[in-house]
Amino acid sequence: MPKTDATSAPFAYEGLDRVIHEKARLGLLTSLMAHPKGLAFADLKQLCGLTDGNLSRHLQVLQEAGLVDVIKGYEGNRPHTTCRLTRTGRRRFLDYLAVLEQLVRDAAKAAGKDESAAGRLGIQPA
């Protein structure tokens, strides 16, 4: 299927990445963005409210997409897993956020709101 032209389909939001857009993965990436050195598996699990299995599966998807590094090792005799964003992951997440900001601006404009509505959300005019 050919990509749509942004001028002919301004509300297609091609930059909304399905890998990122899923609720749990969005939370994971946001948590990792806030912790550039990475987070322990247990901390990530708590921050995002996920089970071990859910977290493992979502991390696998993000890792396969090249967005997250999962580093397994030991602290003493105990296994320790750390997760962090890759450079690609950080860039793709920031690109994704820019598309979301545009979506909010478009929705506020379509609803008849002026730029102050977007401003209250901390979104700068394009």
Side-chain angles (χ1 to χ4, degrees):
M1 179 186 287
K3 268 199 156 171
T4 55
D5 179 14
T7 56
S8 66
F11 301 116
Y13 303 109
E14 291 295 328
L16 288 181
D17 188 329
R18 288 190 178 273
V19 170
I20 296 172
H21 199 69
E22 198 284 326
K23 178 184 165 190
R25 291 192 289 265
L26 187 58
L28 290 170
L29 292 170
T30 302
S31 298
L32 293 172
M33 183 68 96
H35 298 87
K37 292 184 180 187
L39 285 167
F41 185 92
D43 295 333
L44 204 48
K45 176 181 158 183
Q46 181 184 10
L47 285 169
C48 297
L50 297 171
T51 64
D52 286 351
N54 273 339
L55 178 54
S56 292
R57 179 62 185 128
H58 287 297
L59 286 172
Q60 181 182 11
V61 170
L62 293 171
Q63 189 176 23
E64 288 170 358
L67 303 178
V68 170
D69 280 332
V70 177
I71 302 103
K72 295 183 183 256
Y74 287 89
E75 279 187 0
N77 290 333
R78 299 182 58 147
H80 183 78
T81 301
T82 302
C83 308
R84 69 171 176 240
L85 280 176
T86 62
R87 285 184 186 197
T88 299
R90 183 175 206 77
R91 184 177 23 81
R92 278 182 56 188
F93 189 59
L94 290 172
D95 291 346
Y96 172 86
L97 292 177
V99 174
L100 279 183
E101 288 175 343
Q102 184 61 52
L103 185 146
V104 171
R105 280 193 294 274
D106 292 348
K109 184 177 177 182
K113 306 282 185 191
D114 60 328
E115 290 292 327
S116 65
R120 282 193 305 272
L121 295 173
I123 298 172
Q124 302 301 316

